[in-house]
Amino acid sequence: MSAIFDRIAAIGVVPVIAIEKADYAVPLADALLEGGLAAAEITFRTAAAAEVMAILRDKRPELLTGAGTVLTTEQVARAVDCGAAFALAPGFDPTIVDAAAGAGLAFAPGVMTPSDITLAAARSCRLMKFFPAVPAGGPHMLKNINAPFAHLGLRFIPTGGVTLDTMKDWLALPEIAAVGGTWIAKAEDMRSGDWSGIAAKARAAVARAREIRG
């Protein structure tokens, strides 16, 4: 893994956030940082994503901010322009992997099958996003499909259906770098301005990761 992903692995959890308004960027960052969660994945699922990442780069550089749901090479370029430190995708596309490598952007493609892992590993990817984690079979499935690749030292960030209560099932596996947490900062929380609630969920997630990993 790159040094960027090492930092995420040290935290154990990265919030996956679909943020609807740029005005939410700073209060969101402050809530996450207050909760001790110094990383965030801002997904390209909303029109505000690029602007939010640029704001966080300029105003909250202490938050390790990455781009999520990267589906095109154009989004790779936008992520870099907006100061994203890392990027993840829901699937594997060799052109996107190559574009990220060419841009010097730490990148984790999405995988769900042994074939996906084979293709990603052939492109020198050593960190991958297991998505959708729970519908794809959960920790037991990931452990089994990764078994033939264990000698490669691959690591994963499972995202999709992971919760505070199930973090232990994932983080107990040595191949898990961190979990993706969609529950930490939901759209409705940001709409209602529940920044204290987001901070509390961030704090609980960080504490749980530390408890699990000792």
Side-chain angles (χ1 to χ4, degrees):
M1 291 190 296
S2 70
I4 294 294
F5 286 132
D6 284 341
R7 289 171 61 185
I8 291 175
I11 299 170
V13 58
V14 57
V16 180
I17 304 167
I19 185 168
E20 297 170 338
K21 294 183 179 180
D23 291 346
Y24 296 160
V26 171
L28 170 67
D30 288 345
L32 295 174
L33 291 168
E34 180 185 338
L37 190 41
E41 174 189 338
I42 306 299
T43 73
F44 272 120
R45 294 187 183 190
T46 68
E51 185 178 359
V52 166
M53 285 186 277
I55 290 171
L56 295 178
R57 173 198 60 202
D58 296 338
K59 295 189 175 181
R60 294 297 183 271
E62 62 268 41
L63 184 72
L64 186 64
T65 302
T69 318
V70 175
L71 303 176
T72 66
T73 56
E74 289 77 15
Q75 287 177 331
V76 170
R78 288 176 67 196
V80 172
D81 289 344
C82 294
F86 64 94
L88 303 95
F92 172 78
D93 182 332
T95 61
I96 295 175
V97 172
D98 292 348
L105 180 65
F107 183 73
V111 298
M112 194 179 71
T113 68
S115 294
D116 294 337
I117 295 174
T118 298
L119 293 170
R123 272 300 202 281
S124 299
C125 297
R126 290 299 177 267
L127 180 76
M128 304 172 194
K129 176 174 181 172
F130 183 53
F131 178 84
V134 172
H140 182 70
M141 175 63 78
L142 177 57
K143 184 175 182 64
N144 279 276
I145 64 172
N146 182 53
F149 307 95
H151 63 288
L152 298 179
L154 305 179
R155 300 196 76 187
F156 301 86
I157 298 179
T159 304
V162 182
T163 69
L164 183 67
D165 292 335
T166 62
M167 281 178 62
K168 184 176 182 179
D169 299 334
W170 293 100
L171 293 178
L173 301 179
E175 54 263 58
I176 300 301
V179 298
T182 57
W183 79 91
I184 295 169
K186 294 183 176 181
E188 54 265 33
D189 297 330
M190 290 181 279
R191 289 190 209 112
S192 65
D194 187 14
W195 309 115
S196 61
I198 291 173
K201 285 188 282 189
R203 189 176 300 109
V206 170
R208 181 64 57 86
R210 288 175 179 167
E211 175 188 343
I212 294 166
R213 289 182 162 172

